[in-house]
Amino acid sequence: MHKMKILLTGSTGQLGKAILSTKPDNIDLLIPERKNFDLSRVESCKKIILKEKPDWIINCAAYTAVDKAEEEIELSKNINSYAPEAFAKCINEYNGNLLQISTDFVFNGEQNYPYLENQITNPINHYGYTKALGESLITKALKCKENGTILRTSWVISPIGNNFILTMLRLHSDKNFLNVVNDQIGAPTSSKDLAIVCWEIIKLKKAKNLPFILHWSDAGVTSWYDIAEAVGEIGIDLGILERKAKINPIKSIQYPTLAKRPKYSLLNTTNTSELLEKRPIHWRENLKRILIDYKKLNLN
């Protein structure tokens, strides 16, 4: 049986690591080292792709420092916009496929109901702009739309790496009081569930003629404040925390950041859920699973 060859970028990030740990058996996974496959230097990436000719590229690599992107404009654009465009052009040459991971930040957050896949993007910060530009450059570059999938997700969390959950665990331990914004509404996404969705898309893309743009996040709706509270409560239940901080809900305006954040960035995942026959798990349940995994990794 033909082993599918897949090139994974961003293998050291939260999603990249989850993709590695959920890899099906019949996959030959190429994981180029960052020094050889630097998305800010696209020519060297193109050489590797055209030499290896992977059946799929899963592009998890991204410039994700939302506030720094307001200053490192060229670098974030090279990584988030021009590299994905180059990948699309490469796969045209040998009929490969591209799975591009995108973000809820391509929307401005001004509506108060979940965003559909076909809505027009209108980002309000530079990170969102570079990801939206990446989407449109891929769309223009692909000779055959069937060979590409854009998978938008939101607020990725996991038991490793750099994410809100682990920051909150540390702050609950270290501080008595915390201020956390409560007027940015969305849904977190378990990196493990997102990785499983990536593999399902690859498996079903051709068989089901899946749409060009798909959305995935955990079920439910929440704010950063609610997540911070839940981390404290579940952390105590699991014996990870001895105590939790008192959390004061604040407005975004009281916590100024370089980049503006969308007020409401919930993604409508109904279509993806039906097509993949996979129901998203509620964010609080996934948060508990993540904290159980965190405990296994750190406290044994």
Side-chain angles (χ1 to χ4, degrees), residues 213-233:
I213 299 177
L214 294 165
H215 284 173
W216 189 262
S217 71
D218 292 350
V221 56
T222 189
S223 71
W224 293 114
Y225 165 77
D226 291 313
I227 297 171
E229 283 283 8
V231 169
E233 289 160 18

Side-chain angles (χ1 to χ4, degrees), residues 63 130 214 216 230 250:
Y63 183 109
T130 62
L214 294 165
W216 189 262
I250 60 167

